[in-house]
Amino acid sequence: DMVWSGSIYIKGLVVVKHGVVLTILPGTKIYFEKIKTDNDDIGDSELNIEGKVIAEGTKEAPILFTSLEKEKKPADWKFVYISFNDKSRLSYCRFEYAFTGLQVHYSEVYIDNCIFENNVEGMRFSTVKIILENSIFRNNTYGLRYQERWSEALIRNNEFIQNDFGVFCVMRSEDKTRFLNNTISNNKKYNFILGQQQEENIDISSNY
């Protein structure tokens, strides 16, 4: 197990292995160095969490995940990637200038009071059990992009504003991702996109 505080610098791939807990203290700043190992336009530094992460900042001392570049741009670094994970928690975290600020797959995660800004994708998930609430998705290409795949997801009291696309439901949803009391508004191209295989309605009637 490990505790991070102060300033943390990541170059390349950092993996938190199964059975290991990473605790990130309030006020910690994690900087990802922009490196290229292939021919795409995405930086290749990333944090891959196979164990468990507890990243609980505060309003006064949030946790920051950002680019190390002086002139920061979306996709300077790859993502924070949580997979096969049990009961991770992220509160008062800020994700910026990534390809995807946060990806969650095959995991149970609680996320609240986070900010996703200036990324290609603010957040992406598939096959999860999550609660995502009280967070802001702003100035991303995609605010939230999800592929439901038997997920149990509660998306509650968030703001999806000023993105190119607010929420993108990839492929199809069986309406097991519940959207309650969110503001999905003033996005530049579309507020909510349905996947190409969507044949049934998605109930987002209790949102603005």
Side-chain angles (χ1 to χ4, degrees):
D1 295 348
M2 181 170 286
V3 177
W4 284 0
S5 63
S7 295
I8 303 293
Y9 297 89
I10 291 179
K11 180 178 181 179
L13 171 63
V14 172
V15 179
V16 178
K17 291 291 188 180
H18 290 289
V20 176
V21 178
L22 171 63
T23 301
I24 305 177
L25 298 183
T28 302
K29 295 178 173 60
I30 297 101
Y31 297 97
F32 294 83
E33 184 172 338
K34 185 176 183 179
I35 61 171
K36 293 291 188 69
T37 59
D38 49 35
N39 294 322
D40 64 18
D41 293 324
I42 302 171
D44 290 318
S45 291
E46 65 180 271
L47 175 59
N48 192 321
I49 300 167
E50 300 171 353
K52 181 177 181 179
V53 60
I54 304 297
E56 295 182 309
T58 65
K59 185 176 181 180
E60 295 75 22
I63 295 167
L64 176 65
F65 298 86
T66 192
S67 167
L68 186 59
E69 294 289 292
K70 290 183 179 179
E71 295 183 6
K72 299 175 176 30
K73 297 179 181 178
D76 276 351
W77 57 284
K78 191 171 285 184
F79 43 50
V80 176
Y81 191 95
I82 298 176
S83 60
F84 297 98
N85 211 282
D86 185 25
K87 297 182 180 178
S88 286
R89 297 177 62 90
L90 300 101
S91 299
Y92 289 101
C93 295
R94 182 184 183 95
F95 300 85
E96 60 182 25
Y97 301 106
F99 175 71
T100 310
L102 178 65
Q103 288 204 22
V104 183
H105 305 279
Y106 302 99
S107 298
E108 181 177 350
V109 181
Y110 175 71
I111 304 157
D112 79 304
N113 285 291
C114 291
I115 296 175
F116 301 82
E117 189 168 25
N118 297 319
N119 307 285
V120 176
E121 302 172 343
M123 180 178 165
R124 182 196 295 195
F125 71 78
S126 67
T127 320
V128 294
K129 183 176 181 180
I130 65 169
I131 296 175
L132 166 64
E133 60 184 355
N134 305 317
S135 296
I136 298 173
F137 295 76
R138 179 174 54 212
N139 291 330
N140 308 283
T141 302
Y142 297 92
L144 173 65
R145 180 172 176 165
Y146 73 97
Q147 192 163 354
E148 193 171 86
R149 289 181 174 174
W150 310 287
S151 294
E152 295 179 22
L154 175 59
I155 315 299
R156 177 173 62 192
N157 299 327
N158 303 286
E159 292 185 10
F160 301 90
I161 55 174
Q162 299 170 11
N163 307 283
D164 286 353
F165 307 90
V167 178
F168 182 16
C169 171
V170 181
M171 301 297 287
R172 67 180 184 274
S173 168
E174 296 180 358
D175 211 18
K176 293 181 180 179
T177 300
R178 293 181 295 152
F179 289 86
L180 299 175
N181 302 322
N182 301 283
T183 296
I184 310 172
S185 179
N186 295 320
N187 295 285
K188 298 168 189 174
K189 295 183 179 179
Y190 294 96
N191 288 320
F192 202 108
I193 311 173
L194 300 179
Q196 292 181 346
Q197 297 182 13
Q198 190 67 40
E199 297 179 353
E200 299 177 355
N201 292 333
I202 296 177
D203 184 4
I204 54 169
S205 58
S206 61
N207 301 273
Y208 174 75

